[in-house]
Amino acid sequence: MSDSWWRSAAVYQVYVRSFADSDGDGIGDLRGVRNRLPYLRDLGVDALWLTPFYRSPMIDGGYDVADYRDVDPMFGTLADFDAMIADAHALGLRVIVDIVPNHTSDAHPWFVSALAGVDRDRYIFRDRPNDWESIFGGPAWTQVADGQWYLHLFDPSQPDLNWEHPDVRAEFEDVLRFWLDRGVDGFRVDVAHGMIKAAGLPDVGFMPGRQVELLGRGRLPYFDQDEVHEIYRAWRPILDSYPGERIAVAEAWAETPQRLARYVGPDELHQAFNFDFLDATWSADSFRKVIDSSLAEAAIVGAPTTWVLSNHDKPRHVTRYGDGDVGLRRARAATLLMLALPGSAYLYQGEELGLPEVLDLPDEVRQDPAFLRTGLSRDGCRVPLPWDGTAPPYGFGPGGSWLPAPPSWAGLSVAAQTGAPGSTLELYRAALRLRRTTAGDLTWLQTEPDVLAFRRASGLVCAVNLTSSPVHVPAWGPVLLASSPAPLPPLSAVDQGQTAVDGSLFRDRMPLIGEEILDRRGGVVLPADTAMWFDGAATG
Ligand code: NOJ
């Protein structure tokens, strides 16, 4: 495992309670993760990011932490964590854990004391609320028995910490050391742009109900304040004092890519999630703009950019791109696009199976606290993974599953897709394997509108057709991989060395790795909503 591993890593996000359940309580756990580590090694990722497994009342899926130094019994024990990370390292997998510094749970001993009037200034209490709104809907303030109000940018069960208080700073520096001592390779920093609030807590001044819409676009007095960078400048020496490269990746939303880039650098964090890529619409123009601006910003700070298409907060990309067959085709193409780009890629569990968002969960099983306040829920991307079998919960564990998997998922399970030619799982495996051989800068290639094509310095060429009709592109080299079945010449035609093949001879099948697939003009047919990788090194 080399240093700077994170610069081009493929990091797999494990949403622990939905990954694998070892004890039959219907909730994923650390032993479940440990048992499935060989699957992740075989998938070909470099690292895992585990969402919070700390002691928590689980109002917000564990992003409401009551004890930052212990494992919640529903997920196991510290010994389970130690065993899991030891196995991961033995398999060559790094492990990143979540840290949640903006807020605690209301069950955290500090907040319990604060309610009793002890050390209340570790949180943000005021005699009167301002006009700030919770990201989960409704006011960001809740009144306590003695009449004061406390700030919670998320659920009322998640009181915001006061980062002006020295105890808070000291506590989190110690929590970092606690997990670094246990061997973690890094941290994903939750709400990394939120810890410092503008002095005096000024009103936002927007109409009620509008602040959330402005998230990430406008300038808000509770996000991306300049002083937040002092916190990361204090954290970086701690990370650097450990052997190997221990990293931190910011979950931060900022007004501009320039402001987002400020979180990253040799004296702050290593990376920031690039949510603009996730937000890009299905068009060449939209992707091209985001890729260009992300690479330009990354170059300024000398850090690699990150790419992400799905996570536990957003509808899965199969569904965002249209759901059904079209959504899956596009999702697979977007994945090949992402995995061909320079920088590191974050994959969300289940995307390698082509899972769609589950849109029809009954209201009574939904658990996202935002659902109660806004009617919008993130549960549909959190449904437990299908591993094998023909009926829910598809081998998730020996009991049921905390959210029901749809009856239609049997064909999407890991077992069903393993070794199946053309399956999404095999596409991810092949792409992650080939990705290891790609390196260097990206150069755009000339194409027709709505087709993106670029070459990496190492030779890989990636072309994506974002239209709904097939297009002809140059043969940049033998095809390495295609995201969807292509109308290809029959093998016999290729065997006979034909370079011009009539379209009528084409039939649907996946191209074979390294195969030349030439159309009548000596180019290649790139089907609708499809990405292809070519071995451009073979042609120079
Ligand atoms: C971002 C996390 O990804 C999300 O799941 C959580 O609800 C909020 N931060 C609050 O911690």
Side-chain angles (χ1 to χ4, degrees):
M1 293 196 274
S2 72
D3 277 355
S4 294
W5 58 275
W6 48 278
R7 290 181 170 270
S8 58
V11 184
Y12 183 97
Q13 181 189 353
V14 176
Y15 190 70
V16 180
R17 69 172 167 161
S18 300
F19 186 67
D21 173 23
S22 72
D23 59 11
D25 64 358
I27 300 169
D29 47 42
L30 293 175
R31 282 184 184 209
V33 177
R34 185 179 175 203
N35 294 341
R36 297 290 186 177
L37 289 172
Y39 166 74
L40 297 175
R41 181 219 30 216
D42 295 347
L43 181 60
V45 296
D46 303 294
L48 329 179
W49 148 33
L50 301 185
T51 52
F53 47 80
Y54 315 114
R55 274 190 189 267
S56 164
M58 294 295 284
I59 303 292
D60 185 21
Y63 285 95
D64 46 324
V65 182
D67 183 347
Y68 289 84
R69 295 181 187 77
D70 202 4
V71 173
D72 195 282
M74 82 174 66
F75 296 124
T77 62
L78 278 173
D80 291 331
F81 178 83
D82 293 341
M84 185 277 304
I85 197 169
D87 281 11
H89 285 162
L91 292 173
L93 295 165
R94 311 263 181 171
V95 178
I96 294 173
V97 297
D98 234 297
I99 186 156
V100 189
N102 180 69
H103 45 264
T104 68
S105 160
D106 60 359
H108 190 286
W110 279 8
F111 193 72
V112 175
S113 304
L115 288 184
V118 178
D119 290 326
R120 201 169 253 202
D121 52 353
R122 288 169 175 159
Y123 293 89
I124 302 176
F125 278 82
R126 291 289 180 277
D127 292 334
R128 259 185 305 281
N130 62 14
D131 73 351
W132 296 2
E133 291 176 348
S134 154
I135 284 84
F136 291 165
W141 295 89
T142 290
Q143 196 167 28
V144 299
D146 60 19
Q148 278 211 311
W149 301 75
Y150 68 89
L151 177 69
H152 51 86
L153 290 182
F154 294 89
D155 191 70
S157 65
Q158 294 166 295
D160 277 49
L161 284 160
N162 172 19
W163 273 83
E164 310 294 343
H165 198 297
D167 285 1
V168 175
R169 294 190 185 229
E171 170 69 359
F172 276 89
E173 291 177 10
D174 195 63
V175 168
L176 289 178
R177 288 197 182 88
F178 178 86
W179 292 104
L180 288 164
D181 287 341
R182 295 199 106 85
V184 303
D185 298 286
F187 299 90
R188 176 264 190 192
V189 186
D190 189 61
V191 202
H193 55 317
M195 285 111 92
I196 300 292
K197 279 73 183 178
L201 310 185
D203 279 346
V204 171
F206 292 123
M207 297 292 287
R210 294 286 313 284
Q211 287 177 25
V212 175
E213 285 173 36
L214 292 165
L215 235 189
R217 312 265 178 270
R219 201 68 188 284
L220 294 165
Y222 42 82
F223 281 151
D224 195 30
Q225 302 297 304
D226 289 340
E227 295 76 13
V228 81
H229 296 282
E230 285 164 19
I231 298 170
Y232 301 126
R233 286 195 282 270
W235 285 13
R236 184 59 182 259
I238 298 174
L239 295 169
D240 288 348
S241 70
Y242 283 79
E245 269 186 71
R246 315 287 179 105
I247 67 148
V249 52
E251 185 225 17
W253 296 83
E255 203 181 356
T256 60
Q258 289 82 348
R259 285 198 70 87
L260 186 61
R262 298 173 72 212
Y263 288 80
V264 166
D267 62 344
E268 292 203 28
L269 304 177
H270 296 72
Q271 296 182 320
F273 285 124
N274 179 0
F275 293 116
D276 289 339
F277 189 67
L278 184 151
D279 282 340
T281 54
W282 187 251
S283 79
D285 192 42
S286 173
F287 277 118
R288 170 91 192 237
K289 273 197 189 119
V290 171
I291 293 169
D292 280 340
S293 67
S294 308
L295 292 177
E297 292 316 319
I300 292 170
V301 290
T305 189
T306 63
W307 310 103
V308 59
L309 287 166
S310 279
N311 65 30
H312 64 294
D313 290 331
K314 294 284 180 181
R316 286 186 177 276
H317 61 285
V318 167
T319 303
R320 288 205 317 273
Y321 295 145
D323 224 5
D325 291 346
V326 169
L328 182 58
R329 270 179 90 92
R330 292 177 174 175
R332 290 166 53 121
T335 296
L336 285 201
L337 167 64
M338 173 171 80
L339 293 179
L341 291 168
S344 58
Y346 283 76
L347 308 173
Y348 177 48
Q349 67 179 39
E351 67 171 77
E352 78 278 18
L353 305 176
L355 296 186
E357 184 80 359
V358 179
L359 298 169
D360 58 357
L361 286 170
D363 286 357
E364 56 280 11
V365 304
R366 292 187 185 268
Q367 297 202 11
D368 182 357
F371 179 63
L372 297 176
R373 293 169 72 97
T374 63
L376 298 172
S377 127
R378 299 166 292 175
D379 293 303
C381 61
R382 300 174 176 182
V383 172
L385 286 196
W387 290 94
D388 51 46
T390 52
Y394 305 111
F396 170 64
S401 63
W402 69 277
L403 285 173
S408 56
W409 276 14
L412 295 177
S413 74
V414 170
Q417 295 197 45
T418 300
S423 73
T424 304
L425 178 56
E426 293 301 338
L427 178 73
Y428 270 72
R429 285 184 173 155
L432 287 162
R433 197 173 58 242
L434 287 167
R435 186 175 188 274
R436 292 183 184 278
T437 62
T438 65
D441 289 344
L442 165 161
T443 311
W444 291 106
L445 301 170
Q446 194 66 38
T447 55
E448 47 188 283
D450 288 324
V451 177
L452 287 178
F454 58 85
R455 183 191 298 272
R456 297 287 304 280
S458 56
L460 179 91
V461 171
C462 173
V464 193
N465 175 6
L466 293 108
T467 74
S468 42
S469 325
V471 293
H472 293 262
V473 294
W476 283 289
V479 172
L480 295 172
L481 210 52
S483 65
S484 51
L488 300 176
L491 276 178
S492 56
V494 174
D495 289 347
Q496 288 156 21
Q498 293 182 18
T499 53
V501 179
D502 189 279
S504 61
L505 291 178
F506 284 24
R507 61 189 167 90
D508 267 14
R509 62 176 175 75
M510 299 300 288
L512 303 175
I513 286 186
E515 184 182 351
E516 301 274 2
I517 46 163
L518 303 180
D519 66 10
R520 63 169 72 234
R521 295 182 234 158
V524 170
V525 177
L526 186 55
D529 296 322
T530 295
M532 271 188 196
W533 286 5
F534 301 83
D535 182 2
T539 52

